[in-house]
Amino acid sequence: MQNIKQKFVSFLTYGCQMNENDSERLAGQLKNIGYEKQDDLSLADLIIVNTCCVRESAENKIYGKIGNLKRLKTANPNLIIGITGCMAQKDGDAILKKASHVDFVMGTNKIHEISNIIAEVEQSHGRVVNVIQGDQEMPGDLPTIRNGSISTWIPIMYGCNNFCTYCIVPYVRGRERSRDLEDILKEVRDVASQGFKEITLLGQNVNSYGKDSASADFADLLTAVDKIEGIERIRYMTSHPRDLNDKVIDAIKNSRHICEQFHLPVQYGNDTILKSMNRGYTTDDYRNLVRKIRAAVPHASITTDLIVGFPGETEETFQDTLNFLKEIRYDAAYTFLYSKRSGTPAAEMQNQVSTELKKKRLQQLMDVQNQISLEINQQLEGRVLEVMVEGSSKTDENVLSGRTRTNKIVLWDKVGHEAVGQLVQIKITHPQTWVLKGELI
Ligand code: SAH
Ligand code: SF4
Ligand code: F3S
């Protein structure tokens, strides 16, 4: 029998859940060629930096990190350093030119070819670039080494066709491709049999699922996943407000396990800007959607993403957005400073907003939202909520942390018999803006 030397791979993963899942699938394939996962970078034989380029700030941080890896390469010339993910897809061999210690660059459509790429680097000691333009079929099932043991990701589609004018994702992830329904269901059954209790179905626009293959749509998929025994909670992200239809709302309403949580990025609260963003809905369309959701699924939490400082923003359009927040009353909002991405239409638009103004408005937006989040959470005081135990809190071993079905973080003093993955009842005693503190009953 061939004796394979034990080797180690470390991952630095940035960006969204799709990247997290890509890293897990890279780890699964690398294990088959002898690489064990290892968090300590100084012990690694292979370091993979899985990158994001959605905003310039993310990119700068990652380039800084890549620069820092040079000293590890100097200490261990046999170390292989590879850059994968969205920045790799976008910048290609420019990364090799910038960073002489990087051995390979691999695009987002090449996840399933990692073993070949590593073999090529190991044999030739040369530098490899493997970025393709255009899309590619993703193989149905790739070996996966999952982080965690309770909650996990299941990709259902790759790419995005929406071309929001600010966004780089469609350029680096390619066109929408849905995974085969049976492949997805098999993966969910597999993780259920491994003991996972919660899954998040992943896609840039999950409501487009099946539009390219026609065997099932997103509502059908949700209904099928809901029947799989062992999975207690089903989440999904991200839904595009334009495409979330009545059939999906019905499927959620009639399900047992799909959580009452709607992440519905609105991006902005003014129709002129929404049009210029190419989002495909008006504020009124969005209002109607929220009304329907709240009628069908009472107590649902609704969260959003917002961009401040999109080109053409004025004090008036910004005030519209603040008013929209106050009207909808989101449970939480993820807020971003508009970042110019070259190659996107918005980067060429007139009336770019100054950084100073963007920052000032972002702060105003967060102040308004934080107050709303706090008020909504305060209404939960005294209520008893179902919480899935996730583990100890980051700062105190005697405090446990978990989530409600609506995806709110709950902290409580450990009683002793709580097991990770178990559903417990927690009475909320001290609600705050970001967490709910309570006690086990
Ligand atoms: N597909 C998902 C989100 C992908 S990116 C969706 O459509 O909802 C996550 C968030 O990053 C977006 O919702 C948007 O708010 C933000 N974002 C994307 N491009 C950006 C840019 N150029 N500048 C600032 N924020 C951006
Ligand atoms: Fe980007 Fe829009 Fe696609 Fe989301 S839907 S990934 S924001 S282009
Ligand atoms: Fe970033 Fe790529 Fe995700 S750009 S947000 S890692 S799809």
Side-chain angles (χ1 to χ4, degrees):
M1 207 174 87
Q2 203 188 345
N3 205 357
I4 304 176
K5 175 185 168 284
Q6 179 63 70
K7 291 177 283 189
F8 294 112
V9 54
S10 295
F11 286 90
L12 295 170
T13 304
Y14 298 89
C16 63
Q17 291 82 357
M18 199 55 95
N19 260 16
E20 298 284 345
N21 181 250
D22 284 347
S23 287
E24 292 178 341
R25 294 186 303 149
L26 289 170
Q29 295 171 81
L30 288 167
K31 189 178 164 73
N32 290 345
I33 58 164
Y35 285 91
E36 264 327 302
K37 254 175 66 177
Q38 164 64 256
D39 289 339
D40 185 346
L41 294 184
S42 67
L43 298 176
D45 302 282
L46 166 63
I47 297 177
I48 291 187
V49 189
N50 196 1
T51 60
C52 171
C53 59
V54 75
R55 283 171 291 273
E56 197 184 359
S57 54
E59 238 177 37
N60 290 342
K61 188 166 99 189
I62 297 168
Y63 269 119
K65 190 71 204 179
I66 294 173
N68 287 340
L69 295 178
K70 189 161 191 165
R71 58 178 180 82
L72 291 172
K73 182 84 168 187
T74 313
N76 170 15
N78 290 326
L79 172 65
I80 300 173
I81 298 178
I83 314 298
T84 64
C86 296
M87 212 169 89
Q89 179 73 30
K90 179 164 77 71
D91 293 351
D93 57 3
I95 297 176
L96 291 188
K97 292 199 185 94
K98 258 191 219 173
S100 62
H101 56 294
V102 169
D103 298 280
F104 72 91
V105 174
M106 188 186 90
T108 51
N109 290 318
K110 292 288 186 173
I111 299 291
H112 55 293
E113 286 182 24
I114 186 69
S115 305
N116 295 340
I117 295 172
I118 297 297
E120 206 177 323
V121 175
E122 281 178 342
Q123 275 159 24
S124 68
H125 295 283
R127 307 177 83 199
V128 177
V129 179
N130 200 333
V131 175
I132 48 153
Q133 299 309 324
D135 313 320
Q136 192 162 323
E137 269 307 305
M138 287 286 185
D141 48 350
L142 288 173
T144 306
I145 295 188
R146 296 171 192 277
N147 296 323
S149 56
I150 294 306
S151 174
T152 194
W153 321 110
I154 310 279
I156 64 167
M157 58 184 302
Y158 305 101
C160 180
N161 289 355
N162 285 319
F163 291 96
C164 303
T165 53
Y166 49 82
C167 185
I168 194 80
V169 171
Y171 304 87
V172 291
R173 288 277 173 176
R175 294 295 65 70
E176 286 175 357
R177 285 142 291 156
S178 300
R179 271 181 82 188
D180 181 61
L181 179 68
E182 282 311 317
D183 283 346
I184 297 170
L185 296 179
K186 179 179 174 298
E187 189 172 342
V188 177
R189 281 186 221 108
D190 283 352
V191 300
S193 70
Q194 290 163 32
F196 285 92
K197 301 281 181 237
E198 177 180 274
I199 57 165
T200 303
L201 306 173
L202 289 184
Q204 294 301 340
N205 179 6
V206 288
N207 303 294
S208 290
Y209 176 77
K211 281 188 183 162
D212 50 345
S213 64
S215 69
D217 61 18
F218 185 53
D220 302 329
L221 169 65
L222 285 175
T223 305
V225 171
D226 188 51
K227 297 199 178 98
I228 294 176
E229 285 307 318
I231 299 297
E232 302 280 356
R233 289 178 169 188
I234 301 163
R235 304 186 192 275
Y236 51 88
M237 67 184 322
T238 302
S239 356
H240 194 297
R242 185 196 56 213
D243 300 325
L244 181 65
N245 59 32
D246 293 356
K247 191 176 167 193
V248 171
I249 297 177
D250 274 345
I252 294 170
K253 180 181 166 182
N254 298 324
S255 77
R256 292 179 300 165
H257 301 300
I258 304 171
C259 291
E260 297 79 16
Q261 169 207 359
F262 290 80
H263 183 60
L264 267 186
V266 69
Q267 311 297 359
Y268 213 74
N270 167 279
D271 288 335
T272 310
I273 300 276
L274 281 177
K275 189 152 199 281
S276 170
M277 286 177 161
N278 191 31
R279 288 292 289 178
Y281 51 84
T282 62
T283 46
D284 268 345
D285 297 334
Y286 191 97
R287 281 185 183 96
N288 286 333
L289 180 59
V290 168
R291 208 169 293 138
K292 269 193 218 168
I293 290 172
R294 287 186 167 146
V297 189
H299 307 301
S301 76
I302 303 184
T303 56
T304 202
D305 291 351
L306 292 158
I307 296 177
V308 179
F310 185 81
E313 178 180 82
T314 62
E315 196 48 42
E316 205 185 328
T317 66
F318 178 66
Q319 287 301 330
D320 286 346
T321 301
L322 291 182
N323 289 334
F324 197 72
L325 283 191
K326 292 177 192 163
E327 179 191 331
I328 300 288
R329 295 183 66 79
Y330 291 102
D331 289 77
Y334 303 88
T335 50
F336 306 104
L337 290 180
Y338 167 68
S339 170
K340 216 173 173 179
R341 304 284 64 203
S342 75
T344 63
E348 308 301 322
M349 289 179 186
Q350 304 297 307
N351 305 320
Q352 299 280 335
V353 179
S354 74
T355 307
E356 196 190 348
L357 204 49
K358 278 190 220 173
K359 286 189 175 159
K360 189 184 125 218
R361 288 179 178 157
L362 182 74
Q363 191 55 54
Q364 259 180 287
L365 196 71
M366 291 195 309
D367 290 346
V368 168
Q369 179 54 45
N370 289 348
Q371 179 59 31
I372 296 171
S373 297
L374 179 62
E375 286 167 12
I376 291 179
N377 286 348
Q378 278 169 340
Q379 289 166 3
L380 296 172
E381 189 170 335
R383 288 261 307 274
V384 175
L385 302 176
E386 181 198 277
V387 173
M388 187 179 285
V389 184
E390 290 181 358
S392 298
S393 83
K394 280 183 198 124
T395 48
D396 187 345
E397 251 190 46
N398 297 316
V399 173
L400 288 176
S401 168
R403 270 165 216 267
T404 62
R405 288 177 61 98
T406 53
N407 211 28
K408 292 179 193 264
I409 298 173
V410 179
L411 300 175
W412 68 98
D413 287 336
K414 189 173 176 171
V415 171
H417 57 76
E418 304 98 322
V420 170
Q422 192 190 346
L423 295 173
V424 294
Q425 300 292 322
I426 303 286
K427 183 173 179 183
I428 304 306
T429 52
H430 296 90
Q432 300 175 356
T433 307
W434 299 106
V435 298
L436 307 172
K437 294 188 173 163
E439 52 200 36
L440 183 86
I441 1 196

